Amino acid sequence: MAKKTFKIRQIKSGIGYPKDQNATLRGLGLRRMHQVVELEDTASTRGMLNKVRHLVVEVQES
């Protein structure tokens, strides 16, 4: 059985936001604007997304 994943894209810069939010973006693998990464759907990943939901957009669940 394939693990659930989703693709996220950074839509807003982390400049001007707290350091912990920038670190969360890095932890998600996002380094630049409009970059898309595919991540495994886990509770920790969802928590990280919730923290920076104003800077990223969830593109597609699969």
Side-chain angles (χ1 to χ4, degrees):
M1 185 165 89
K3 295 189 180 211
K4 291 181 100 178
T5 62
F6 50 87
K7 293 180 182 178
I8 60 168
R9 180 176 41 149
Q10 183 177 353
I11 57 167
K12 198 169 180 185
S13 173
I15 296 173
Y17 289 94
K19 288 182 182 179
D20 62 330
Q21 291 181 13
N22 284 312
T24 303
L25 285 175
R26 285 294 187 141
L28 289 169
L30 295 167
R31 289 174 170 67
R32 63 185 72 87
M33 297 272 297
H34 306 292
Q35 180 182 5
V36 177
V37 294
E38 187 168 355
L39 300 171
E40 190 175 326
D41 187 3
T42 62
S44 60
T45 305
R46 286 200 175 260
M48 292 170 76
L49 279 175
N50 189 39
K51 183 171 188 166
V52 293
R53 64 185 177 270
H54 55 286
L55 301 175
V56 299
V57 61
E58 189 171 330
V59 176
Q60 177 183 3
E61 284 192 41
S62 55

